Amino acid sequence: MKVFLKQRLSGECCGLCGGAWRGFSRRWHSKRLTACSHFAFGRIVRDPEEYQPPIWKSYLYQLQQEAPRPKRITCSQEMESRPKYYGREFHGMISRERADELLEGAEGAYLIRESQRQPGTHTLALRFGNQTLNYRLFYDGKHFVGEKRFESIHDLVTDALITLYIETKAAEYIAKMTTNPIYEHVGYTSQRRNRVTRQLCRGPPQSRKVTFQQDNKIPSPSSLGLRPTARDQEKHCSYEKAHNFKTHTFRGPHWCEYCANFMWGLIAQGLRCTDCGLNVHKQCSKLVPYDCQPDLRRIKKVFSCDLTTLVKAHNTQRPMVVDMCIREIERRGLQSEGLYRVSGFTEHIEDVKLAFDRDGDKADISEDVYPDINIIAGALKLYLRDLPIPVITYDLYSKFIQGAKISNPDARLEAIHDGLLMLPPAHYETLRYLITHLKRVTMYEKENLMNAENLGIVFGPTLMQPPDQNTLATLNDMRYQKLIVQILIENEDILF
C-alpha cells in the first residue's frame, strides 16, 4: 500500500496497467484500478483463477502524450489581405518553397499562406517528419481540412499532429488492434448479459418454411407443420439490434470498449451508440455484434422511435403502444361502427401520443379519459405510421409487393409467407399480434362493418411504405398494399 501511495503522488498508476494518474479523471483511473485486478485493496492477488489481465491499454495514450506540440510561425508584417478568422500565422501569398524555409527544423511548426496557383484559397503548411505537408484549408464558421471541424487553427493543428504521430508510430499496432478484442470477455457484452436476464421474442425461424400446395381448400395449420399455438406462447430469446453509432467528441481520456485501446485525437475521437452509450473506434464499430441493449435514459420518446430499439429498451415483446391500445379497443370497441375507418379528434390523438411519450406504459388511455374509442384507434394508427422503419420494412417492401402480384393464390400465399420469415423479430411479433387482433375485428363485421378488405384499405399504407417515398409508386402500389393486409388477415391462422 505504501508503494501504491508513493506511485500515486508521483503521477504513476499501480505499475501494472501502464497508466498514469496525472491527466486522468477519477472515473477513468478508478476503471483502470478495477481493470488491474491483480492489485486489490493494497494486496497482490496470487490466485491464478482470481487474476484477470489489465483491460485498458495505454500504448496509444502514451503516444498521444509524446506527439509534437503546435508551434505557430507568425508573420512580422501586417497583412492587409489577411482574413479576419486567421491570426498572425497568416503570411499572405508566399510560395511552397518559402513556407518550407520558414518551417524548417521546427517539428510541429505551422503557418497559413494564400495559394499562388489559386488566389483566394488558403493552405495550411505543417512541419512533420522532417518535411512540410500542405493541406487545403476551409472555413465555414469552423476551420477544417477534412471531416472534422475546429473552433481554432491551433486545435486543428493539435489534432493533426496527434493523428499523424500515432498513425506513423503505431500503424502496424492499429492494424492489429481489433484481432484480440476484450468485448466478449470483460466489456459491453458481459455487462449487458448480466443486466438483462431475459428478452421476449418469437422462436427461431429455421423450421417454419411452408410449402403451399394446389388444392380445393387452404391447408390447415397442422398439416403444414406451423406453430398452431404461437399466439399463446411466450418465447424467450433476444432480439438482435444493431448499434446506432454516431461520431462523438469525448471530454477527457476515453478507451474503446471493443478493443480496449485509447481513442486518440482532440475531437471526434470515435463513435458512440446513441441508444446504449457504447464507445468504440470507427474501425472497431464494423466488428461489433448486433447486440445493442438500449438504455431507457437515452430513449427520449415512444412515438417515432425505432421499433426494435423501443422493445429492447423496455424488455417487452411488442411496443407498449400496440399492446395497450389493442387491449383497450378489444375491451370496449370491437363493435364500434367504422372502427379504424372513422377518425377521432386530431388534438385528442395528439394528447394520447404525448401521454405515451411522457408516461410510457403508465399512460392513462381508459374510457374515463378518452370515451371515444376512435381516439385510441387513431393513436395506434399514428404510432405505426410514424415508425422510422415501417412494420413491413423498407428492405422487404418490394418482395411483398411482388408477392401480391402473383396470380396463383397458393404461390402468392407462399411468397408472402417467405417475406414474413425475413422480417426482423420485433417487427414480425408486432405484425403477428396486430393481424391477430384485426382478425378478431372482422368477427364483429355485422356490428362494426369492417371486413378484411376494409381493414386492408386502412392499414395497407400504414404498415408498409415504399423506400423511395415516390408518390406515383405509392399510388400504383396501394391496391397491392391493401391486398397484402387483406391476405394476412384472412389467412392469419396459417401465415402466423
Side-chain angles (χ1 to χ4, degrees), residues 85-86 112 137-145 148-153 156:
Y85 40 83
Y86 295 141
I112 298 172
L137 189 59
F138 301 91
Y139 181 80
D140 63 355
K142 291 187 176 181
H143 304 276
F144 63 99
V145 296
K148 293 185 179 182
R149 282 164 164 72
F150 300 84
E151 297 290 346
S152 69
I153 292 294
L156 187 154

Side-chain angles (χ1 to χ4, degrees), residues 5 9-10 12 16 26 48 71 75 120 128 137 146 152 195 215 260 289 299 313 318 328 394 402 411 436 438 463:
L5 292 175
L9 291 172
S10 64
E12 299 176 5
L16 296 173
R26 288 185 179 179
K71 301 179 183 68
C75 181
F128 179 81
L137 189 59
S152 69
R195 182 181 301 177
D215 200 348
I299 308 300
R318 298 169 295 273
E328 192 66 23
Y394 293 125
Q402 293 304 315
T436 300
L438 296 180
L463 296 176

Side-chain angles (χ1 to χ4, degrees), residues 241-458:
K241 180 191 177 308
H243 291 271
N244 186 21
F245 287 119
K246 303 290 183 186
T247 302
H248 189 78
T249 295
F250 299 95
R251 297 182 180 274
H254 268 72
W255 274 256
C256 174
E257 295 176 67
Y258 181 80
C259 73
N261 282 287
F262 179 68
M263 293 195 282
W264 64 90
L266 202 61
I267 70 167
Q269 303 96 328
L271 308 179
R272 169 172 285 177
C273 176
T274 58
D275 294 333
C276 71
L278 182 69
N279 304 318
V280 295
H281 291 111
K282 185 175 182 180
Q283 58 266 46
C284 292
S285 68
K286 302 171 185 177
L287 304 175
V288 176
Y290 286 7
D291 60 356
C292 177
Q293 177 57 44
D295 187 339
L296 272 175
R297 293 171 297 180
R298 298 177 180 273
I299 308 300
K300 304 300 182 183
K301 55 187 178 180
V302 172
F303 277 65
S304 302
C305 177
D306 173 68
L307 195 154
T308 302
T309 300
L310 188 68
V311 298
K312 289 206 69 161
H314 289 271
N315 194 23
T316 58
Q317 274 189 297
R318 298 169 295 273
M320 66 187 75
V321 180
V322 175
D323 275 3
M324 293 174 64
C325 287
I326 286 179
R327 279 200 303 267
E328 192 66 23
I329 291 168
E330 293 195 351
R331 189 181 67 82
R332 59 183 172 100
L334 286 177
Q335 300 185 46
S336 176
E337 184 175 333
L339 180 64
Y340 289 117
R341 180 174 53 81
V342 177
S343 300
F345 288 111
T346 303
E347 57 269 28
H348 293 168
I349 293 174
E350 285 294 323
D351 286 344
V352 175
K353 173 183 175 180
L354 292 174
F356 276 113
D357 283 340
R358 182 183 63 246
D359 304 324
D361 57 4
K362 300 294 190 295
D364 187 357
I365 58 172
S366 64
E367 188 172 5
D368 294 338
V369 182
Y370 301 103
D372 183 3
I373 196 62
N374 295 310
I375 295 171
I376 308 304
L380 175 59
K381 290 189 294 181
L382 177 64
Y383 170 78
L384 296 171
R385 191 164 55 247
D386 281 357
L387 286 171
I389 300 176
V391 175
I392 295 177
T393 62
Y394 293 125
D395 292 342
L396 294 174
Y397 178 85
S398 59
K399 182 173 183 62
F400 275 87
I401 293 296
Q402 293 304 315
K405 292 179 179 179
I406 297 174
S407 57
N408 181 278
D410 292 333
R412 181 171 58 204
L413 206 59
E414 185 169 355
I416 291 176
H417 185 264
D418 288 343
L420 290 174
L421 297 183
M422 297 173 68
L423 285 172
H427 288 246
Y428 175 92
E429 174 57 28
T430 300
L431 182 62
R432 182 195 70 78
Y433 190 75
L434 176 66
I435 295 299
T436 300
H437 160 68
L438 296 180
K439 180 74 171 184
R440 284 194 285 271
V441 171
T442 62
M443 295 177 181
Y444 293 85
E445 180 185 349
K446 290 184 179 180
E447 292 80 14
N448 59 37
L449 306 181
M450 296 298 291
N451 57 24
E453 183 178 3
N454 293 337
L455 291 170
I457 294 172
V458 173

